[in-house]
């Protein structure tokens, strides 16, 4: 299969498509033949200073290379705007085949310093923004399915290591990214009945967000393990018809390694000695033993000893 054939005739909406990962995704999708609708209001990292210039530049770049692209205006978290983007995409190109939810902002702070406004802003863009476009796209696909049209819808969401394991100073961001994983799983369950898959990527890449966390944005010449472009081939495959067997998953992208993450699973346990309900008095010892620690310390877990 040639590069152009993978996504030929498929139409994809990408939020946060003006910079970083989103920009790379848009260019990769277009290189594989997709028509790309670029959504990005061009805000600063904390959500201010809107400017659609970056999104327009991506559209112009795709068109300049012989591809097809257009702007999809509005904030990803704006219910009506995302409904309009879906409707306009379908009316303009006659179809919608995939969406890539990538828009996001950061307002990092430890919990005791985090404001309600900052918490709401981060969840609004990341979690609500992912839900809003997903909901409108799924409504379109379900309607198409009911009318007898073949549907091969693809949803690609964006989570992160913070969503998988948390990170100090990123309670809002981590909560939003963890919520996106749960939303992805539910969307996969519900979308299966009308031909829609949903997956999430967790890229390790040098972006504005990593720079704000003090992790740098250095990308070496040639191929670099931190180049945002490393995640984009995965997005292209997830948006293709080829990936129709694959849904409800999180893929971690670390340089040139693609890792299928395992979901929460049953861990170690202990059973109440009485054979009936648990007794609060036995839980401390029971959990220490279940986790490989014993009375007198938690050395087996690599923690300082706890005297009793």
């Amino acid at each position: 299969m040639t590069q152009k054939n993978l996504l030929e005739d498929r139409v994809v909406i990408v939020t946060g498509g003006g910079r970083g990962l989103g920009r790379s995704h848009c260019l990769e999708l277009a290189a594989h033949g997709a028509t790309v609708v670029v959504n990005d209001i061009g805000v600063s990292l904390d959500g201010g200073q809107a400017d659609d210039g970056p999104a327009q530049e991506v559209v112009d770049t795709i068109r300049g290379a012989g591809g097809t692209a257009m702007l999809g205006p509005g904030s990803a978290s704006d219910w009506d705007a995302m409904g309009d983007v879906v409707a306009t995409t379908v009316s303009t190109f006659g179809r919608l085949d995939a969406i890539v939810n990538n828009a996001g902002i950061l307002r990092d702070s430890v919990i005791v310093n985090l404001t309600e406004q900052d918490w709401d802003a981060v969840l609004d863009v990341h979690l609500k923004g992912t839900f809003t476009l997903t909901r409108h796209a799924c409504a379109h696909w379900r309607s198409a399915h009911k009318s007898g049209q073949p549907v091969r819808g693809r949803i690609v969401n964006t989570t992160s290591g913070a969503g998988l394991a948390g990170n100090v100073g990123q309670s809002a961001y981590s909560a939003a990214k963890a919520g996106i994983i749960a939303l992805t799983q539910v969307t996969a369950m519900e979308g299966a009945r009308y031909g829609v898959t949903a997956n999430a990527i967790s890229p390790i890449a040098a972006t504005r967000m990593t720079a704000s966390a003090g992790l740098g944005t250095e990308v070496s010449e040639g191929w670099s393990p931190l180049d945002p472009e490393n995640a984009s081939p995965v997005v292209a495959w997830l948006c293709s018809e080829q990936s129709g067997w694959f849904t409800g998953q999180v893929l971690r992208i670390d340089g040139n390694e693609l890792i299928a993450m395992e979901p929460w699973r049953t861990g170690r346990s202990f059973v109440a000695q009485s054979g009936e309900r648990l007794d609060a008095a036995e839980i401390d010892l029971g959990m220490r033993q279940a986790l490989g620690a014993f009375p007198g310390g938690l050395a087996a877990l690599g923690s300082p000893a706890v005297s009793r």
Side-chain angles (χ1 to χ4, degrees):
M1 176 173 287
T2 65
Q3 188 176 32
K4 281 286 186 181
N5 286 342
L6 182 65
L7 296 171
E8 189 174 3
D9 297 326
R10 289 179 71 78
V11 179
V12 186
I13 299 171
V14 181
T15 68
R19 297 187 178 99
L21 285 164
R23 182 182 190 277
S24 176
H25 297 341
C26 289
L27 299 181
E28 180 81 13
L29 292 165
H32 286 283
T35 293
V36 183
V37 179
V38 185
N39 167 260
D40 196 325
I41 59 174
V43 297
S44 58
L45 187 58
D46 65 359
Q49 304 169 6
D51 173 14
D52 64 4
Q56 185 62 58
E57 186 274 331
V58 173
V59 169
D60 294 342
T61 298
I62 292 173
R63 289 175 176 173
T68 304
M70 77 173 189
L71 285 177
S75 169
S77 61
D78 185 322
W79 181 272
D80 292 334
M82 290 303 97
D84 289 343
V85 168
V86 169
T88 301
T89 298
V90 173
S91 65
T92 302
F93 302 110
R95 59 191 297 151
L96 171 63
D97 299 285
I99 61 172
V100 180
N101 289 302
N102 175 75
I105 65 171
L106 273 186
R107 294 190 183 182
D108 288 351
S109 181
V110 294
I111 289 174
V112 295
N113 292 333
L114 190 67
T115 67
E116 180 182 14
Q117 180 183 19
D118 289 341
W119 171 274
D120 288 347
V122 172
L123 266 71
D124 186 57
V125 176
H126 285 279
L127 188 52
K128 183 185 175 184
T130 297
F131 165 71
T132 301
L133 181 57
T134 295
R135 191 272 181 193
H136 288 299
C138 283
H140 163 70
W141 286 322
R142 185 180 66 171
S143 177
H145 174 75
K146 287 184 174 181
S147 68
Q149 300 176 44
V151 174
R152 298 176 182 87
R154 304 287 182 261
I155 297 171
V156 184
N157 296 329
T158 309
T159 185
S160 72
L164 294 166
N167 193 31
V168 173
Q170 292 191 316
S171 58
Y173 180 71
S174 298
K177 289 303 189 183
I180 287 171
I181 295 174
L183 176 60
T184 301
Q185 293 170 327
V186 174
T187 306
M189 295 173 189
E190 296 181 356
R193 70 192 70 175
Y194 46 90
V196 174
T197 67
N199 296 283
I201 62 167
S202 174
I204 299 174
T207 65
R208 291 189 300 169
M209 289 190 178
T210 59
S212 74
L215 301 178
T217 58
E218 293 297 324
V219 175
S220 58
E221 292 187 10
W223 180 80
S224 170
L226 292 178
D227 195 323
E229 293 182 359
N230 296 332
S232 298
V234 181
V235 172
W237 175 70
L238 288 172
C239 288
S240 74
E241 291 191 21
Q242 283 186 356
S243 66
W245 61 275
F246 189 84
T247 192
Q249 305 298 312
V250 176
L251 292 175
R252 183 83 162 148
I253 304 149
D254 186 358
N256 59 3
E257 183 178 9
L258 185 59
I259 307 160
M261 302 301 293
E262 295 184 354
W264 284 102
R265 55 186 177 180
T266 303
R268 301 177 185 180
S269 66
F270 81 96
V271 178
Q273 293 180 357
S274 66
E276 298 179 359
R277 71 192 293 265
L278 292 166
D279 183 342
E282 68 181 348
I283 290 176
D284 186 74
L285 175 58
M287 287 309 300
R288 288 177 185 245
Q289 291 175 331
L291 294 173
F294 297 92
L298 295 177
L301 299 180
S303 299
V306 178
S307 60
R308 299 191 63 173

